[in-house]
Amino acid sequence: MSIWIGAMQKHLEGHKGLTDHNEIVRVDAGKFVYIPLMSMFSTNIEVLVKEGDSVKVGTMIAKRNDHMTVPFFSSVSGKVVGKQTIMHAVLKPLEHLVIENDGLYEKEQPFSPIDFEKATREELVDFMMNAGIVGCGGAGFPTYMKYKNPQNISTLIINAVECEPYITADYREISNNIDDLVLGVKAMLKLSTAKEAWIAIKSPKKELIAKVRAALVGVSGIVVKEVPDVYPMGWERTLVYQLLKKRYDRLPSEIGCIVNNATTAIAFAKAIRTGMPIVEKTLTISGNGIKNPANVNVPVGVKTAEIVAKLGGYAIEDVLLIAGGPMMGKTIPNDQFVVTPYGNAVTILKTEKIDSVACLRCGRCNDTCPAGLLPVRINNAEQAADLDTIVKLRADQCIECGLCTYVCPSKLDVAEGVRRAKRILQLKKK
Amino acid sequence: MKFTFRVSPNYRDQLSTGRIMRDLTIGLGVIYAFALAYYFTQYSSNYGIHALGLMATSLIVAFLTEVAFAYFTKKKVKTHLLGSYPWVTAIILTLMVPIATSYFALGFGTFFAIFFGKLVFGGFGQNIFNPAAAGRAAMLASFAGVAVTDITTSATPTASIAQLGWMIDKPEAVTKFLDQFGGLQNMFLGLYPGALGETSKVLILVVMVFLIIRKVIDWRIPVFYLSTVFVLASLIAVSKGMGFWYPLFHLSTGGLVFGAVFMATDPVTNPTSASGRTLFAIGLGILTVLIRVKANLPEGVLYSILLMNMLTPSIELLTDGWQIKNVKKYAISFASLSLIGILLVFGVSTTMSYKAPVVPEEPTITLGDPVGIFSDETALAPATVTDKVTEGDIVTLTVSSKGYAVLQDDHSEDPQPNVLIVKIDTVKQEVVSVAYATFSDTTNIGDKTKNAKFLDQFAGLSIVDEAAEVDVVSGATYTSVSVARAVRAAIEAVLAQ
């Protein structure tokens, strides 16, 4: 909030009551699971198994091995069937490795558990890499990259904000795995070389805050920080600014921070304890387009259609099926996309008619943009195909949080205009 | 199943442009209701009805203009109207005009506002000037001299202080000046005639708070605009040795508060960045004060809004970029503009001086030849006594006496005699006073006889002196004689008792 820029954030109605208390439904895999062969938009992935190979839960089946290492694991036991191209949650058809499920869920530890207190920092980074721990906030960035070479890091920020509406999966996951959270954060604190770890939780989540604080009694160097219930508080830059009142250019490490998601810490703790990677996820399936909104526990690679069927189906004929929350998630035109290690929600909303009118130039988008951009100006420049102005307006800095469209009283697709401008910049670079 | 594809996000705020306009309409409605109540109760139902008629005229013209535009540009009328909000412009424009405005003038202004102010630019969202301000400016340019004189068009506070050079440095004159309008307190309450909706500052500020809370308007514009005017007016007050009343007077007079809340905040004609709106508001404040104290126009609000509207694109170019990297630039722009404003206003204040009010002089008349009360001239077309009231020694007679209009045919359709009130003391046997009840002769000629210099001659005339005479007003002989005739008829009626 400033006189010059505006709020740069906004409280959103969360609809979290739909799923924050009811039972977590276990959804088993059907006949096949589909493991997406994609990491951070790279499809340069080496498949380690052949058609007909037997695999178990935890068998490493593929690996990205360029400037980042990301292993992929089977989430069921059974037989490798082959590859198939299906729609992915990023709204692109991608190759998936298909595994026929034998329903037995036989396990295989792809790596051994580790005593993080005894292990050296380097050993722990390698462990994290081999365990395939990726950012569970949605992007799937390999977590070990952040810890490879930490310099002058003073604070580790654990993001338990979960600011997208409807999603409660992280909240449920944290409440049910407090000990793993503490273990994971301790291990990450060691990796980061920081003095303190701050666990950021939205202030209205009083119960969770109390629970985490209770678990931290006697633990030094880890504290809970309450943050306001606004969107996008879960975005790294907004969160860092909220906690440190500092901004950075590219990475939070510039100002001595590493930011990681709380569920990533939990996944890390599980790997440390059990020697098992991320093979299943807690997902929030919510919205007014589904009969019974709930959190589900489901193996990676299960199609959305199977989860929805297990929950009793869609509430209406015409829905917006969104991979993720309604702000940043993309609508997918079919329900064949699968659960990924980095996804945490599917939001299903009634398709409602939107009546848009002319832009009244109110500037709400400019005042609310968390990146400090001027979305309406970018839209104007994009419409005028004014490349110089698009460059000046720094359209490249947009994170597509969607807040500009959300606040637009004229119901225009402001974010889409900025996206187009971004694409123009990307094309120009190439 | 149908899986609809839409670009993200798929979550939207409840707040819509329609709701913004509805809240704005409610806010304006409250101001209008106050104006109606004021004219119905403080004046007469005729005034109240005229206020209703003005609003109806403006709304009808606004809608007709929009419908015609939609028809000729082959747009769906309903969709066009719902996305064009003509009523907001019509209401704002109506609230800016004084009650004495003719329907024709307002209709013209409304047409200008909607058509030239908005539609020719491509409709709602495309116009560069605030449509209502453009319409009002067109009215002022076209109908400035046509203002009809009536009780409510006594000089407004703004016009009055403009005549004094926008300053009063004598404390005793200040109180006398402010008392004309019931003091500053009354000016804030708005219980004086002015533009329909601009008078009650208190009510407008209450509506402003409502609109800010409902996120209809950005607080930056009214707050920075009014603060700038307050600070700059205080500067003039200090430099000229005037008191705290002076900045308060600036806030309470004219269309400042109304303009700051309802016109300067028009998002279409504002910069879209928060920093830009701040600069825009400060610019408005500086221009308003400069125009008020130094330009020939009595009021600066309207023109400062139109001028700043023109600067909106330049301000946007200035504030363009990555906002979080531009904060320093914004702060420097803010400081520079404030400094320019302070220096300009301080410089201008050194050239200001108090212009003592001009006391209107009695029009001079020249008395000409004498006419005898009982002469032959007064015997022609004798006057008629229509009423006679006796109270003690004093008899008051109402006398109808034919003057120039009846006797000489002044081309008026229905010439009427003049009616005079003549008082006679029956004991002293002399005329006490003569006054007009109704004057029906030629304006600017015969009415010279209303002058005390002429009428006072009758006081003390003996009713029994056959040679009594008065001097006629040069150039108004007929009317003068008609007065003498009335006095003769009155004396004869008393003597006949």
Side-chain angles (χ1 to χ4, degrees), chain B residues 148-319:
Chain B
V148 190
T149 310
D150 71 74
I151 48 159
T152 61
T153 49
S154 53
T156 60
T158 317
S160 305
I161 199 158
Q163 284 174 354
L164 305 178
W166 276 95
M167 65 172 287
I168 307 171
D169 48 7
K170 298 181 183 68
E172 63 282 359
V174 171
T175 323
K176 200 178 155 204
F177 175 77
L178 294 177
D179 282 349
Q180 293 178 71
F181 318 107
L184 277 174
Q185 202 180 349
N186 196 52
M187 286 172 65
F188 273 103
L189 287 173
L191 300 174
Y192 66 94
L196 283 184
E198 290 179 352
T199 53
S200 181
K201 315 301 174 301
V202 173
L203 190 64
I204 297 170
L205 290 174
V206 169
V207 171
M208 175 187 84
V209 171
F210 164 77
L211 294 177
I212 288 173
I213 291 172
R214 297 280 287 173
K215 305 214 184 305
V216 173
I217 58 174
D218 183 14
W219 61 272
R220 289 178 182 82
I221 290 175
V223 168
F224 279 99
Y225 186 3
L226 298 176
S227 310
T228 305
V229 171
F230 184 82
V231 168
L232 294 178
S234 304
L235 186 71
I236 297 176
V238 170
S239 114
K240 286 299 183 187
M242 291 185 282
F244 189 57
W245 68 273
Y246 187 71
L248 290 179
F249 180 83
H250 264 276
L251 290 186
S252 65
T253 193
L256 176 63
V257 176
F258 182 86
V261 174
F262 291 110
M263 286 154 73
T265 54
D266 169 17
V268 176
T269 55
N270 259 310
T272 55
S273 55
S275 50
R277 286 193 297 271
T278 313
L279 297 174
F280 178 83
I282 295 173
L284 284 172
I286 297 171
L287 283 176
T288 301
V289 172
L290 288 178
I291 293 175
R292 276 185 171 178
V293 302
K294 268 299 161 195
N296 276 334
L297 304 157
E299 175 60 302
V301 175
L302 180 70
Y303 291 96
S304 53
I305 289 174
L306 290 171
L307 286 169
M308 287 310 292
N309 284 167
M310 283 195 271
L311 288 177
T312 290
S314 311
I315 296 174
E316 292 205 293
L317 280 181
L318 176 78
T319 61

Side-chain angles (χ1 to χ4, degrees), chain A residues 224-417:
Chain A
V224 174
K225 295 269 178 183
E226 295 187 28
V227 294
D229 183 9
V230 292
Y231 182 87
M233 190 47 75
W235 180 36
E236 221 166 60
R237 284 179 194 265
T238 303
L239 183 60
V240 168
Y241 186 76
Q242 173 70 34
L243 294 173
L244 294 167
K245 297 289 166 219
K246 280 186 197 163
R247 299 197 191 278
Y248 53 87
D249 277 332
R250 289 189 58 248
L251 295 169
S253 57
E254 291 163 26
I255 54 167
C257 285
I258 293 178
V259 184
N260 254 143
N261 200 283
T263 46
T264 312
I266 291 171
F268 187 37
K270 282 182 174 161
I272 287 172
R273 257 191 325 108
T274 65
M276 286 300 287
I278 304 169
V279 290
E280 54 181 46
K281 288 288 295 179
T282 300
L283 294 190
T284 302
I285 315 294
S286 189
N288 57 13
I290 183 162
K291 278 187 188 145
N292 304 305
N295 276 297
V296 295
N297 180 268
V298 56
V300 169
V302 172
K303 285 186 172 176
T304 305
E306 294 173 38
I307 304 172
V308 173
K310 171 89 183 185
L311 291 179
Y314 298 100
I316 23 142
E317 245 334 273
D318 186 353
V319 294
L320 297 165
L321 183 63
I322 305 163
M327 293 298 290
M328 292 193 74
K330 291 185 159 53
T331 54
I332 310 291
N334 65 53
D335 55 4
Q336 299 302 303
F337 63 96
V338 301
V339 177
T340 61
Y342 32 84
N344 56 5
V346 175
T347 309
I348 302 161
L349 298 174
K350 280 183 191 168
T351 306
E352 269 156 14
K353 196 171 165 265
I354 295 170
D355 292 316
S356 56
V357 294
C359 170
L360 82 158
R361 297 172 35 84
C362 66
R364 276 178 180 75
C365 49
N366 295 344
D367 298 355
T368 331
C369 176
L373 303 178
L374 297 164
V376 64
R377 299 290 292 161
I378 296 174
N379 270 262
N380 294 344
E382 194 271 328
Q383 277 152 20
D386 180 353
L387 185 64
D388 292 343
T389 306
I390 294 176
V391 172
K392 186 184 171 193
L393 292 167
R394 296 304 301 265
D396 58 303
Q397 291 295 326
C398 169
I399 53 152
E400 305 184 20
C401 73
L403 211 44
C404 47
T405 300
Y406 175 83
V407 297
C408 180
S410 293
K411 310 298 169 198
L412 301 168
D413 283 318
V414 189
E416 184 62 12

